Amino acid sequence: MKVILFFIAFSVSLYATTIKELANVVGVRDNQLIGYGLVVGLNGSGDGTSSEFTLQSISNMLQGMNVKISPNDIKSKNTAAVMVTAKLPAFARSGDKIDVSVASLGDAKSLQGGTLLMTALKGVDGEIYAVAQGSLAIGGLSPRPGSAGTHSTSANVMNGAVVEREIQQNFSQNDNLTLSLKDANFKTANNIERILNNVFGVDIAKALDSRTIKLIKPEEFSHVEFMARVLEQDIAYTPEIKVIIDERTGTVVAGVNIEVEPVLITHKDITIKIDPNNNATLAQNEIDMKDGGILDPVSNTLKITNSKTTVANIARMLNKLGATPNDIIAIMQNLKRAGAISADLEII
């Protein structure tokens, strides 16, 4: 598997965006819902007899419809037990429809073609906030259950749940509102405080720390109008420079200008030597890897003589060498440990 490389250009100049892209309004958020249900109508790809909870659930459902049958007498493989999850948006009202996600709980091979039966969705307080039901949608997958490259034991139901209970909000009764930055940053918090106070002409914003900004609503504005104006204000900020590595997929995301200091590192049979002061010419047995890289196939040494070497350069050359995702990730980690990379390294 080749490493997928995305190179995002970060510069030292400030970026401009709106406050709503950088901060959330405290108290205005989604709420997680969960429920247990049954999917029926599967073409023999449902739970087998080893999933006893599925058989018991079928028996309980039928008894509620005045059909009494023992779980031991149920042999159908057209039903699957599933967990159903959804997000209840802020200010959702009774009758609103929301999307739900469905995932197999037992040993079903596929949920394709199934229909979710009425499932109560509960919040963390145990109360029912929505009821889900509908046909499952599995997009872009092979019709053959369990075939390679598919993941047909998860599905979605678009607008599959109806909101039954509303979450009480006191947004319109609270004149003291709070913004919470998505990424803690003292400079950004200070900029938001300064800009909002300049726009409204009075001190309505106060940064309490690197993440929290307290707001006081002026009397002449409604709550909705005030927050609309606050969130639409442009703000200049400097994004944090990172190298992000996804170990599961082998994806490396790095700024194209993140420099790597001179270093010598060996990993397995690959040796990387970064020496910007070396003006060595290309020897007869060496290969020009471009990007300032020279490969000695005898010692499998990659010499980089660029005056400026970046993470992007190294990742591209390692990819050309056919290095595995795990090798590239390990090399990036060791470069960070050696102090050759100053940017933060985040592994997800």
Side-chain angles (χ1 to χ4, degrees), residues 293-309:
I294 298 174
L295 174 66
D296 182 353
V298 177
S299 60
N300 211 25
T301 299
L302 181 62
K303 294 182 289 185
I304 303 175
T305 59
N306 272 349
S307 58
K308 176 182 175 182
T309 302

Side-chain angles (χ1 to χ4, degrees), residues 119-142:
T119 302
L121 301 180
K122 299 180 180 181
V124 69
D125 57 0
E127 298 289 343
I128 297 175
Y129 287 91
V131 176
Q133 182 170 277
S135 299
L136 305 187
I138 304 175
L141 299 178
S142 169

Side-chain angles (χ1 to χ4, degrees), residues 152-174:
S152 54
T153 52
S154 296
N156 298 299
V157 184
M158 304 300 293
N159 293 325
V162 179
V163 177
E164 300 291 344
R165 181 192 296 265
E166 300 175 4
I167 295 179
Q168 297 300 319
Q169 302 278 354
N170 62 350
F171 176 76
S172 60
Q173 284 79 41
N174 189 2

Side-chain angles (χ1 to χ4, degrees), residues 16 23 47 64 92 118 135 190 204 208 225 251 264 276 287:
D47 292 340
M118 187 181 297
S135 299
N190 183 65
I204 58 98
L208 302 183
E225 181 185 7
T251 303
L264 174 66
I287 302 172

Side-chain angles (χ1 to χ4, degrees), residues 199-321:
V199 167
F200 287 92
V202 292
D203 292 341
I204 58 98
K206 179 65 176 179
L208 302 183
D209 51 46
S210 62
R211 188 181 291 270
T212 310
I213 301 103
K214 283 287 187 181
L215 305 176
I216 300 177
K217 182 187 74 67
E219 293 183 359
E220 62 269 24
F221 292 98
S222 69
H223 288 77
V224 173
E225 181 185 7
F226 175 62
M227 288 310 305
R229 290 194 60 179
V230 167
L231 296 177
E232 291 301 324
Q233 295 301 319
D234 289 331
I235 180 73
Y237 80 106
T238 303
E240 186 177 357
I241 299 177
K242 292 183 179 180
V243 178
I244 301 176
I245 297 174
D246 188 337
E247 285 192 307
R248 293 176 301 170
T249 62
T251 303
V252 178
V253 184
V256 293
N257 293 323
I258 298 179
E259 293 190 36
V260 181
E261 299 298 327
V263 71
L264 174 66
I265 182 171
T266 299
H267 175 76
K268 295 182 179 178
D269 59 345
I270 300 175
T271 298
I272 299 176
K273 183 179 181 182
I274 300 176
D275 187 3
N277 299 319
N278 185 357
N279 296 320
T281 58
L282 189 68
Q284 185 174 0
N285 65 324
E286 293 180 333
I287 302 172
D288 186 1
M289 300 293 292
K290 308 301 182 182
D291 292 321
I294 298 174
L295 174 66
D296 182 353
V298 177
S299 60
N300 211 25
T301 299
L302 181 62
K303 294 182 289 185
I304 303 175
T305 59
N306 272 349
S307 58
K308 176 182 175 182
T309 302
T310 66
V311 170
N313 295 141
I314 294 177
R316 279 196 297 267
M317 283 185 274
L318 289 174
N319 231 355
K320 292 177 183 178
L321 286 175

Side-chain angles (χ1 to χ4, degrees), residues 42 45-48 51 79-82 104-111 152-153:
L42 304 177
S45 60
D47 292 340
S51 297
T79 305
V82 294
S104 173
L105 187 63
D107 57 356
K109 300 298 187 295
S110 174
L111 298 179
S152 54
T153 52

